[in-house]
Amino acid sequence: MADEPDPAAREVIEMSEAVPVPSSDGLSPESARQRLEDIMGDLPVEDVENTEEYSIAGPETTDRPIPLRVYEPDAEPPYPMLVYYHGGGFMVGSLDTHDNVCAALTNRADCLTVSVDYRLSPEHPFPEGLEDAYRAVEWAAEFGEKINGDPDRLAVAGDSAGGNLAAAVSLMARDQGGPDLAYQGLIYPGTASPVLHDIPSHEENAEGYFLETETVEFYYENYVQSPAHVRNAYASPLLADALSGLPPATVITAGFDPIRDEGIRYADRLVEDGVDTEHLHYEDMIHAFVSLPEAIPQGQDALDRLGEHLADAFGTA
């Protein structure tokens, strides 16, 4: 365990603390969303061969279409497909805030990346965002060939809340006989229920490291609003009885992250249940470091390694 965050991560923390704006739990959802757009929306983005915007029919429970952004690689089609879910505590984040991550993975794995603008809480609590996430995978499996994708090489990935969605979609696909997934990439995923699990890193890294435990709990309360869902494994994947039969996984965790141990426990459970799993632990990193590769070199390293694992899973390495 590192004694303190890497200097580059510490600089990001100091910059964030210098901005006199409350954290997400002290703002309205609209203001919190705009704050993240202001921070992340203008980050440098790698060039890809092409991007297209689509809108697909949502699940039967809603009339709202699901916006998608599709990133095309500079490679020969048909392309393997990655469905990506952005982070943001199920409340904030968008296609724009994670533009750089999706472009980077597209280039590193020579894959067609489908970024999903799922419904956000508190207006749309669990399971509404997850329903959108699963619908996007079904769409990719059904219509991927129409956009030069290869449905036989289909994966999911996401960061933070998006990592939770990627894990939950993998569980749903296994349980419900859904699309056959080749891989799941879980970047500092939220997998636990703060109500039911005792997570040491929630206390150890409670404040001072970019994401704080109070904010994590606030996000969870707004996402899982009904007591009927507190024990639902699709809301908190650590609650799943078994993880066997899931696709191969890469799990990325950060040492100075309040949800560090959620990812570590999930990676350990995957290994225990026989899932081919690579756990990449960055002991001196903070939450969100993968989204900041220009400021934090280890973020670039994580994107490179995740891209390599994706390429191996797709057979494009």
Side-chain angles (χ1 to χ4, degrees), residues 91-120:
M91 179 181 288
V92 302
S94 69
L95 303 180
D96 291 336
T97 60
H98 287 66
D99 202 18
N100 64 332
V101 173
C102 291
L105 293 177
T106 298
N107 288 335
R108 281 152 185 73
D110 283 336
C111 65
L112 195 74
T113 300
V114 179
S115 184
V116 184
D117 191 11
Y118 56 89
R119 286 172 288 174
L120 299 175

Side-chain angles (χ1 to χ4, degrees), residues 255-287:
F256 292 93
D257 183 352
I259 64 171
R260 175 196 68 206
D261 293 343
E262 299 187 29
I264 291 174
R265 286 191 187 180
Y266 201 69
D268 290 345
R269 284 277 314 276
L270 287 166
V271 171
E272 290 168 5
D273 285 2
V275 178
D276 184 8
T277 303
E278 185 80 19
H279 179 200
L280 306 178
H281 181 62
Y282 291 80
E283 66 174 16
D284 56 358
M285 281 293 104
I286 58 175
H287 194 81

Side-chain angles (χ1 to χ4, degrees), residues 14-140:
E14 292 172 353
M15 290 176 61
S16 68
E17 291 176 342
V19 179
V21 178
S23 58
S24 294
D25 52 314
L27 297 171
S28 69
E30 295 80 8
S31 292
R33 291 164 191 158
Q34 187 58 54
R35 178 172 181 259
L36 189 64
E37 295 288 339
D38 293 341
I39 295 172
M40 309 295 286
D42 292 326
L43 294 175
V45 179
E46 296 179 16
D47 290 333
V48 296
E49 182 66 16
N50 188 41
T51 60
E52 295 285 350
E53 307 279 339
Y54 294 98
S55 182
I56 66 172
E60 295 179 357
T61 55
T62 178
D63 293 331
R64 174 192 181 269
I66 306 171
L68 307 175
R69 180 174 296 161
V70 177
Y71 301 75
E72 182 181 350
D74 181 11
E76 289 296 319
Y79 315 114
M81 293 188 293
L82 171 67
V83 179
Y84 192 88
Y85 309 113
H86 67 76
F90 310 101
M91 179 181 288
V92 302
S94 69
L95 303 180
D96 291 336
T97 60
H98 287 66
D99 202 18
N100 64 332
V101 173
C102 291
L105 293 177
T106 298
N107 288 335
R108 281 152 185 73
D110 283 336
C111 65
L112 195 74
T113 300
V114 179
S115 184
V116 184
D117 191 11
Y118 56 89
R119 286 172 288 174
L120 299 175
S121 67
E123 300 93 333
H124 302 284
F126 176 87
E128 295 182 37
L130 177 59
E131 290 172 346
D132 288 356
Y134 191 70
R135 175 70 190 111
V137 164
E138 291 182 316
W139 178 86

Side-chain angles (χ1 to χ4, degrees), residues 218-252:
F218 172 76
Y219 284 147
Y220 177 85
E221 291 167 3
N222 280 277
Y223 180 54
V224 184
Q225 295 181 17
S226 170
H229 294 313
V230 168
R231 296 186 179 277
N232 192 318
Y234 297 149
S236 304
L238 265 178
L239 293 171
D241 291 334
L243 302 182
S244 55
L246 292 176
T250 298
V251 182
I252 294 175

